[in-house]
């Protein structure tokens, strides 16, 4: 099983600042990686797939990078609606696995 | 955009069974792989199972293999999860999701809550 490890667990950021979230895979997943946003009481929403392609309707302030085992989600200028929990997920191999999540909170 | 509506959750005693359903709004349902993902209270996301668009291929997490069965009825645009021998640790919100880009899940249902407790 490919283990996905996200860091940090919690990120405190002021509105308008940049947020950088990391995701590491225990073995290479190529670029078969997705990022999701989840707000309290809501289902997850797909932000990024293929490690760097924004899903339909996702604002340009969200960007993804990386390949192999190291990945990054960057939110260039945090808006109030971006405070949420973010998960990475690999789909390179079965079982599909998620990271434990990074909570982005208001500083 | 396809919409997904999950149902069938509830309170069940350990050892009991439930069947979850997920109704899709579009007739292109059969074109897509579908998954169930769960989230225990206060915890992260855990993939449970995936079925191919034609229903011929299924995949399961080790934690549910042999107890849960994923299936679909493309004539009814509906996905199912039959859950048997439920355990306390199966308590979670269960989301159905449509695969949009290989294994990336592009559309999610609202979730249905399963509680296994005596």
């Amino acid at each position: 099983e490919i283990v996905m490890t996200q860091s940090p667990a919690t990120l405190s950021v002021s509105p308008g600042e940049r947020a950088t979230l990391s995701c590491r895979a225990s073995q290479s997943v190529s670029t078969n990686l997705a990022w999701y946003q989840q707000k309290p009481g809501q289902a997850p929403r797909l932000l990024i797939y293929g490690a760097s392609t924004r899903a339909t309707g996702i604002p340009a302030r969200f960007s993804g990078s990386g390949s192999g085992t190291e990945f990054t989600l960057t939110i260039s200028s945090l808006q109030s609606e971006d405070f949420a929990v973010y998960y990475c997920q690999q789909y390179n191999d079965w079982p599909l696995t998620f990271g434990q999540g990074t909570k982005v909170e208001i500083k | 955009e396809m919409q997904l509506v999950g149902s069938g959750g509830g309170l069940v005693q350990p050892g009991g069974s439930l069947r979850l359903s997920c109704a899709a709004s579009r007739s292109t349902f059969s074109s897509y792989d579908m998954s169930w993902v769960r989230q225990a209270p206060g915890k992260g996301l855990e993939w449970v199972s995936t079925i191919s668009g034609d229903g011929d291929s299924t995949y399961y997490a080790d934690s549910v293999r042999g107890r849960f069965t994923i299936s679909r009825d493309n004539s009814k645009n509906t996905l199912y999860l039959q859950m048997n021998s439920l355990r306390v640790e199966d308590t979670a919100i269960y989301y159905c999701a449509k695969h949009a880009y290989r294994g990336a899940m592009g559309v999610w249902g609202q979730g249905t809550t399963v509680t296994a407790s005596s």
Side-chain angles (χ1 to χ4, degrees):
Chain A
E1 172 176 321
I2 299 173
V3 176
M4 307 301 293
T5 303
Q6 292 185 239
S7 61
T10 302
L11 187 62
S12 298
V13 186
S14 298
E17 289 188 341
R18 182 186 194 93
T20 302
L21 288 67
S22 295
C23 175
R24 174 177 292 178
S26 61
Q27 63 190 76
S28 177
V29 299
S30 185
T31 56
N32 296 312
L33 184 108
W35 288 96
Y36 301 88
Q37 176 194 69
Q38 188 179 32
K39 297 179 181 179
Q42 296 185 17
R45 177 175 72 147
L46 178 67
L47 299 175
I48 301 285
Y49 64 94
S52 61
T53 303
R54 278 189 302 277
T56 303
I58 302 303
R61 64 180 181 273
F62 291 92
S63 63
S65 63
S67 65
T69 62
E70 300 285 341
F71 301 90
T72 300
L73 175 70
T74 301
I75 312 172
S76 59
S77 176
L78 270 159
Q79 307 297 302
S80 57
E81 61 267 29
D82 300 335
F83 293 96
V85 179
Y86 293 83
Y87 295 93
C88 61
Q89 176 232 331
Q90 67 81 21
Y91 50 93
N92 191 67
D93 199 4
W94 303 100
L96 306 182
T97 48
F98 290 88
Q100 80 280 17
T102 290
K103 181 180 181 180
V104 177
E105 64 177 24
I106 300 175
K107 187 174 182 180
Chain B
E1 178 72 281
M2 181 185 292
Q3 293 188 335
L4 302 173
V5 179
S7 62
L11 174 63
V12 61
Q13 289 193 338
S17 299
L18 274 179
R19 188 176 83 155
L20 305 185
S21 299
C22 175
S25 63
R26 291 200 172 206
S27 59
T28 53
F29 176 72
S30 63
S31 299
Y32 299 98
D33 294 354
M34 297 290 296
S35 283
W36 290 97
V37 175
R38 68 184 180 184
Q39 187 168 38
K43 302 297 184 182
L45 301 172
E46 179 188 13
W47 170 76
V48 173
S49 184
T50 298
I51 187 167
S52 60
D54 59 9
D56 284 349
S57 298
T58 57
Y59 307 87
Y60 296 94
D62 286 347
S63 58
V64 307
R65 185 176 291 112
R67 301 187 298 123
F68 290 11
T69 302
I70 191 171
S71 62
R72 64 193 298 161
D73 185 337
N74 287 340
S75 68
K76 295 182 179 178
N77 293 344
T78 303
L79 173 73
Y80 302 101
L81 185 68
Q82 177 67 43
M83 304 187 294
N84 298 331
S85 303
L86 279 160
R87 304 169 179 168
V88 170
E89 55 265 34
D90 295 319
T91 294
I93 298 172
Y94 284 72
Y95 296 101
C96 55
K98 183 196 92 169
H99 288 222
Y101 314 102
R102 293 189 60 196
M105 301 173 210
V107 178
W108 294 66
Q110 86 286 9
T112 186
T113 300
V114 172
T115 303
S117 173
S118 54

